[in-house]
Amino acid sequence: MMRKRMDVWAALCWAIHDQRVDLAIAANDDWIDDAGLSPRHSVTGVMMDQAMLGGRVDGGGPRNGPDVDLDAEIIWLVALGMLRDERAGIVIDGLFEGVPVKMQRYLRKARPVSDMIVAGRLADLPDWMPGGWQGEMSRREVEESRLKYIGVWDALAVLSMRLKTSTRLGKVIEKPSFPRLPWHGRKKAVDS
C-alpha cells in the first residue's frame, strides 16, 4: 500500500486549522497556559491521563471530547515537542542557517516554532514583503519580516525531518514545497 505524500505546510494546516488538534489534545502542562491552549479533552488524552494515574482503561462507556485523526495527533505532538524545546531555550538544529550575523539581535528574540504554529492556525504564511513597504517601513522592518518568514520555513523543514522518523504516521511528509528565499526570484524577475 502506497502512503499519501503531503507537504509539511499542508499537513500542519490540516492538523491545526482543519482538525483543530491543538485545541483537542493540548497537554496539561503549566507552561502551555502561556500559549493560550486548552487542557487535554480528546478521547486519546483522557485515556492517557487515566493510564498515567494507574487507572484501568477499558474503552467502554460514554466518550467525551472530539476525536481527531491519528496523523494529526502525531503532527501536533512533534510540533508541541519543538515548542517545548523553544520555550526551554534549547537550540533547534536547522533554524536560521546562513542568516547574516548582523541580524543576531533579532534572532535572540525570534520564536520561529511559535510563529509556525500561529501561521498554521491561521493557514496563512507570514508575509515576507509587506504590501506597500517602500517608504512606509524601514529596511530593518522588512528584513525582520523576511527573517520571520525564514524562521517559519526552517521550523517547517525541521518538523518534516522529525516526522520522517515516525513509523506510525500514515502519510509521507515532505519538506515545504515553496522557496525558502522567495525574494531572490522576485529580484531576478524585477531586474530583467
Side-chain angles (χ1 to χ4, degrees):
M1 182 175 151
M2 189 160 180
R3 296 188 313 171
K4 181 180 176 183
R5 294 187 168 280
M6 195 174 212
D7 175 81
V8 67
W9 172 244
L12 183 70
C13 289
W14 168 75
I16 297 177
H17 184 261
D18 299 341
Q19 292 278 313
R20 301 221 184 262
V21 69
D22 59 333
L23 299 175
I25 66 162
N28 247 345
D29 293 332
D30 292 337
W31 66 269
I32 207 111
D33 293 335
D34 298 336
L37 302 174
S38 67
R40 180 182 296 160
H41 289 298
S42 74
V43 173
T44 306
V46 171
M47 293 299 145
M48 288 171 59
D49 287 342
Q50 288 178 355
M52 285 175 56
L53 293 172
R56 195 179 108 198
V57 179
D58 62 7
R63 299 170 62 172
N64 296 328
D67 278 331
V68 293
D69 191 277
L70 177 63
D71 288 345
E73 287 189 29
I74 293 170
I75 291 167
W76 174 245
L77 290 174
V78 172
L80 192 60
M82 290 173 60
L83 182 63
R84 186 171 284 149
D85 289 348
E86 179 181 90
R87 289 180 183 253
I90 298 171
V91 176
I92 300 172
D93 289 336
L95 295 179
F96 294 116
E97 290 179 355
V99 172
V101 176
K102 66 181 179 178
M103 298 306 290
Q104 292 298 321
R105 192 173 92 199
Y106 172 78
L107 297 181
R108 281 193 296 262
K109 65 180 182 177
R111 297 283 194 201
V113 178
S114 298
D115 292 340
M116 174 188 72
I117 291 171
V118 168
R121 271 194 199 120
L122 300 173
D124 190 25
L125 281 170
D127 192 7
W128 53 269
M129 188 173 148
W133 70 272
Q134 297 165 345
E136 295 175 16
M137 294 178 70
S138 70
R139 183 72 182 161
R140 179 156 191 91
E141 291 171 325
V142 172
E143 289 299 320
E144 286 181 356
S145 73
R146 289 180 177 181
L147 282 171
K148 185 173 184 178
Y149 175 91
I150 290 172
V152 170
W153 195 97
D154 287 352
L156 286 168
V158 170
L159 179 65
S160 72
M161 294 306 292
R162 290 186 179 185
L163 287 170
K164 285 185 186 209
T165 62
S166 173
T167 57
R168 299 184 64 199
L169 198 61
K171 296 171 178 40
V172 176
I173 305 295
E174 298 174 337
K175 280 190 169 186
S177 59
F178 47 90
R180 181 176 186 246
L181 306 171
W183 45 90
H184 288 308
R186 180 177 166 84
K187 184 178 179 184
K188 290 177 186 173
V190 169
D191 288 345
S192 63

